Amino acid sequence: DAGVIQSPRHEVTEMGQEVTLRCKPISGHDYLFWYRQTMMRGLELLIYFNNNVPIDDSGMPEDRFSAKMPNASFSTLKIQPSEPRDSAVYFCASTSAGGGRSYEQYFGPGTRLTVT
Amino acid sequence: LAKTTQPISMDSYEGQEVNITCSHNNIATNDYITWYQQFPSQGPRFIIQGYKTKVTNEVASLFIPADRKSSTLSLPRVSLSDTAVYYCLAITDSWGKFQFGAGTQVVVTP
């Protein structure tokens, strides 16, 4: 398996522009998570889905952020309009509830976003 | 939401055992203790998880006392490649509320 795939790996955009980050989870996984990591705030959980349904979006910082999961193999995180303080590394992770209680998430390589 | 507290950093030499203790005083009955490792420019990687007593795998051991208010990750005979940030988190059954803490930066030197 190729693991969790994220695109783009790097994104540089100007303030006010729309940014869309993409994630393809590992096939068969029914949980998908979006995280943001900065030096100041560490690794923050933004939102997670179970079977394509958003379960907890309490970590989404504000209305400028939105996430969708139209099917089991694709999710997007959109920021509109983007601001310099959104600059961070955004990670996507997936896992499967499976039959036992395993809390192993598989993280993608991340998207480094820079908003100027 | 179980809050975890870890040391900010730890230094070690190659070949030594590194023990990182995490406190989680308000851990819930259904919470599992999970540890992740993160290298620069990479996403976190799962290391080990446990509920109580001791768990061992090919990478590390996890010790959880009976009161479950703390846990200790043990890395045997570390090498330079074990230099990373290590996160402890408590996760409620069925992926309830959870959060990554600040993590512990482990630096291994020759």
Side-chain angles (χ1 to χ4, degrees):
Chain A
D1 198 315
V4 175
I5 300 173
Q6 292 187 246
S7 64
R9 294 294 308 277
H10 302 274
E11 176 81 28
V12 180
T13 190
E14 292 183 347
M15 182 175 63
Q17 297 297 307
E18 175 181 300
V19 175
T20 299
L21 312 181
R22 297 172 176 79
C23 175
K24 176 179 169 54
I26 292 173
S27 177
H29 283 185
D30 51 0
Y31 283 87
L32 183 139
F33 306 80
W34 280 102
Y35 292 87
R36 175 174 69 176
Q37 186 169 38
T38 62
M39 288 293 292
M40 289 296 293
R41 302 176 67 90
L43 191 61
E44 303 173 276
L45 175 65
L46 301 178
I47 184 172
Y48 77 91
F49 296 82
N50 178 217
N51 292 322
N52 313 336
V53 177
I55 301 302
D56 185 352
D57 65 354
S58 60
M60 296 287 264
E62 48 197 277
D63 293 345
R64 296 185 298 106
F65 286 69
S66 63
K68 294 182 179 180
M69 192 164 186
N71 57 62
S73 59
F74 184 66
S75 177
T76 60
L77 178 67
K78 184 178 294 185
I79 308 172
Q80 181 184 19
S82 58
E83 297 182 3
R85 59 194 168 118
D86 301 331
S87 296
V89 180
Y90 291 81
F91 289 105
C92 174
S94 70
T95 192
S96 173
R101 294 193 179 98
S102 172
Y103 294 97
E104 180 171 3
Q105 292 183 45
Y106 297 80
F107 282 75
T111 295
R112 182 172 295 277
L113 173 66
T114 303
V115 183
T116 60
Chain B
L1 179 63
K3 177 177 169 57
T4 58
T5 304
Q6 308 171 230
I8 295 175
S9 64
M10 297 182 72
D11 295 329
S12 179
Y13 292 104
E14 279 190 295
Q16 291 188 331
E17 178 182 82
V18 172
N19 295 306
I20 309 171
T21 296
C22 174
S23 67
H24 25 80
N25 292 320
N26 64 336
I27 190 170
T29 302
N30 292 335
D31 284 351
Y32 278 71
I33 306 304
T34 311
W35 286 81
Y36 282 75
Q37 174 191 56
Q38 186 177 24
F39 297 113
S41 302
Q42 295 185 24
R45 183 175 71 102
F46 174 88
I47 300 175
I48 196 168
Q49 74 173 47
Y51 186 78
K52 60 182 178 181
T53 64
K54 177 182 176 181
V55 179
T56 298
N57 61 22
E58 65 278 5
V59 177
S61 294
L62 178 60
F63 301 90
I64 305 173
D67 66 7
R68 301 195 341 115
K69 293 185 183 299
S70 68
S71 59
T72 299
L73 175 73
S74 180
L75 306 173
R77 297 179 299 281
V78 294
S79 64
L80 299 179
S81 63
D82 292 315
T83 294
V85 177
Y86 293 82
Y87 296 96
C88 160
L89 58 159
I91 303 180
T92 298
D93 192 15
S94 299
W95 294 103
K97 293 286 188 182
F98 69 95
Q99 65 181 22
F100 280 79
T104 298
Q105 172 69 62
V106 172
V107 177
V108 181
T109 54

